[in-house]
Amino acid sequence: MTPSLVTPSPAHLAFWAAPDVDQAAAFARLRELDRPAWVPFRNPLTRAEDGFHAVVRHADVVEASRHPELFGNSPTAASLYDMPPWLARYLDSMINMDGPAHARIRKVVVRAFSPRMLAGIETEVRERSRRIVDDVLAEGSGDFVSRVAQRLPVAVICTLLGLGEEHHDLVARHGNTLVGFTDPEYIGIGREYLLRHGAPGLRHLVPVSARLMVAGEQLSRLVRRVGRDRVREPRDDLISTLVAGDGLTPREVGTLFILLVLAGSETTRATIAHALRLLTAHPEQRELLLADVGGRIGGAVEEVVRHASPVIQFRRTATRDGELGGHPVRGGDKLLLFYASANRDEAVFADPDRFDITRSPNPHLGFGGPGPHFCLGANLARLEARVLLTELFTRVPTIRAVGEPERLLSNFTHGIKRMGYAT
């Protein structure tokens, strides 16, 4: 196995605390290797010594995505870390399934993201975007994430699920904890410790577990309570579909609900926040957008997703001995598909580190690679980002990010927790 030439390695949280430019340079070095690097790591949730192949080239990520029969998502394979049973109870959803089991649940969910659904939700997206920008104009400055980027995706996914405004804060708060389970703010561990050791230590397992379990249980309890109401009085919302449909067990309903909450809010929030960050850092691209917001906003959103890669990576596990990109892989090996690297692959993207809203073609993998696990909500995320950013840059063309953003410490989500803005 070819060892990693990057220090610290992508298995260490210090790598993800480094500036984006340093991470991009490290991935560029990994792409120069003749095969995916083997990266050792210790699983902080099970304490097992382990490792993974760092799949960093665009072609290899596409190949692995297209062959789930060889590079599977089960069991608990979406994350670098094998989930212990107490966490799988809340997070072991269809994203960690393959074959018929995955297809059965995906069939239920796909109805909620059909073209008809998107057409129906667009009015809601536009109305909420207008209200958000009304508040931006009234306030003038503040935290862009809480006041702008987070509000729309949380509201939209709650609307689809059938949750009222009174649940938005709970969904956002517990979603932050589950997505940010390696961030010191959400797990109560000092940042210095995490950067020194690369992951939570054994003595942190109980308190970290408790925080994650509380978040998972609170969200599960919410869907159980609302689900009981929908059994009695069904509505035209996704929770009604879940509790009524295709023999889903209560646990499957709960884990699917949590997946939709996380996938439907966290990555879209990150995309919107990175859009303001990038358009502030690249004033020439901002001027290009402002010259034709309606004509260029679609390309701008795609380039933000490529350049920022809100989802950094997903894991696969080799189901048997085989090959990837002509190199051997053993059954049971873990592979991390680094979308953040594939989206900067020089073999696919000219001048890949440049942020260019007119980039065409732009075959990024920001919503995953082709195959059965491609993001179901990709078109909804695009719709939300296009509508809100169009409203924002049309009505508040002078808006800009202020100061350094406070980034989520994570090897999974390229998130921004807080970022100042001014108009």
Side-chain angles (χ1 to χ4, degrees):
M1 295 179 178
T2 302
S4 170
L5 300 180
V6 173
T7 303
S9 82
H12 199 289
L13 283 176
F15 180 93
W16 303 104
D20 289 350
V21 64
D22 293 344
Q23 295 175 24
F27 278 125
R29 293 196 296 275
L30 290 176
R31 289 194 299 273
E32 291 174 353
L33 300 177
D34 64 351
R35 66 183 63 196
W38 177 257
V39 180
F41 83 105
R42 173 179 288 184
N43 189 329
L45 299 180
T46 64
R47 313 314 300 169
E49 295 290 344
D50 210 336
F52 59 85
H53 299 277
V55 182
V56 295
R57 294 175 179 167
H58 191 283
D60 289 342
V61 172
V62 169
E63 180 182 346
S65 301
R66 282 180 170 155
H67 294 284
E69 75 286 354
L70 178 56
F71 304 107
N73 270 36
S74 63
T76 64
S79 168
L80 166 60
Y81 311 123
D82 288 325
M83 285 190 291
W86 55 264
L87 186 55
R89 174 182 177 186
Y90 305 110
L91 299 181
D92 192 14
S93 65
M94 73 170 185
I95 206 168
N96 297 323
M97 299 176 182
D98 296 306
H102 173 265
R104 179 177 67 91
I105 297 181
R106 187 177 176 98
K107 185 175 73 171
V108 176
V109 184
V110 75
R111 302 170 193 159
F113 296 97
S114 66
R116 182 184 68 83
M117 181 282 298
L118 289 179
I121 200 68
E122 184 168 353
T123 298
E124 168 88 4
V125 172
R126 293 190 182 281
E127 289 177 353
R128 287 192 177 274
S129 295
R130 281 194 290 270
R131 293 202 295 271
I132 290 170
V133 175
D134 287 344
D135 291 342
V136 168
L137 287 167
E139 293 159 355
S141 63
D143 171 38
F144 186 77
V145 175
S146 61
R147 294 188 179 182
V148 182
Q150 177 176 280
R151 284 176 60 187
L152 181 64
V154 167
V156 169
I157 196 61
C158 285
T159 296
L160 286 174
L161 287 162
L163 302 176
E165 298 271 353
E166 69 274 16
H167 300 303
H168 290 191
D169 287 344
L170 180 145
V171 166
R173 184 170 69 254
H174 292 312
N176 286 342
T177 299
L178 291 171
V179 168
F181 75 97
T182 53
D183 186 274
E185 178 176 345
Y186 300 121
I187 59 177
I189 301 175
R191 183 178 179 88
E192 295 77 14
Y193 179 96
L194 289 170
L195 295 185
R196 184 167 64 252
H197 295 279
L202 184 60
R203 64 189 175 92
H204 301 116
L205 191 56
V206 171
V208 170
S209 301
R211 288 175 182 248
L212 295 175
M213 288 177 70
V214 167
E217 183 57 34
Q218 289 293 316
L219 290 173
S220 294
R221 188 177 300 169
L222 173 61
V223 73
R224 288 197 300 268
R225 185 171 69 250
V226 177
R228 285 193 296 268
D229 293 339
R230 296 300 188 270
V231 169
R232 292 191 297 267
E233 297 182 19
R235 299 182 186 177
D236 186 19
D237 59 41
L238 188 48
I239 290 183
S240 296
T241 300
L242 296 181
V243 298
D246 296 334
L248 296 186
T249 67
R251 177 176 173 176
E252 286 173 335
V253 170
T255 57
L256 186 53
F257 169 78
I258 292 174
L259 171 64
L260 293 170
V261 163
L262 300 182
S265 58
E266 298 299 325
T267 54
T268 309
R269 174 179 77 170
T271 297
I272 294 168
H274 280 295
L276 183 63
R277 176 184 68 84
L278 288 166
L279 289 165
T280 301
H282 300 274
E284 77 290 351
Q285 296 297 308
R286 176 197 190 90
E287 292 305 314
L288 202 59
L289 176 64
L290 293 178
D292 183 10
V293 176
R296 291 181 176 141
I297 193 62
V301 168
E302 297 303 315
E303 180 67 348
V304 169
V305 173
R306 181 197 74 86
H307 198 278
S309 294
V311 175
I312 296 169
Q313 52 83 11
F314 263 103
R315 191 185 116 196
R316 300 291 188 267
T317 303
T319 60
R320 61 178 187 272
D321 290 354
E323 290 187 350
L324 179 64
H327 300 290
V329 175
R330 297 176 304 181
D333 281 357
K334 296 181 178 66
L335 303 90
L336 255 62
L337 312 186
F338 281 105
Y339 307 123
S341 175
N343 286 339
R344 302 285 186 98
D345 191 336
E346 304 83 350
V348 176
F349 302 99
D351 197 4
D353 293 329
R354 173 176 167 75
F355 177 64
D356 179 5
I357 67 170
T358 65
R359 184 180 297 276
S360 181
N362 191 353
H364 67 75
L365 303 177
F367 295 110
H373 287 284
F374 183 79
C375 178
L376 273 173
N379 287 333
L380 177 60
R382 288 174 166 124
L383 172 66
E384 292 179 41
R386 286 197 309 267
V387 170
L388 180 55
L389 293 172
T390 296
E391 189 78 12
L392 191 65
F393 282 103
T394 300
R395 296 176 59 195
V396 198
T398 57
I399 191 170
R400 64 193 183 281
V402 175
E404 284 296 315
E406 187 176 345
R407 297 189 299 164
L408 185 73
L409 182 57
S410 172
N411 60 18
F412 183 70
T413 302
H414 189 194
I416 296 177
K417 296 192 292 184
R418 298 173 191 86
M419 182 174 67
Y421 78 90
T423 59

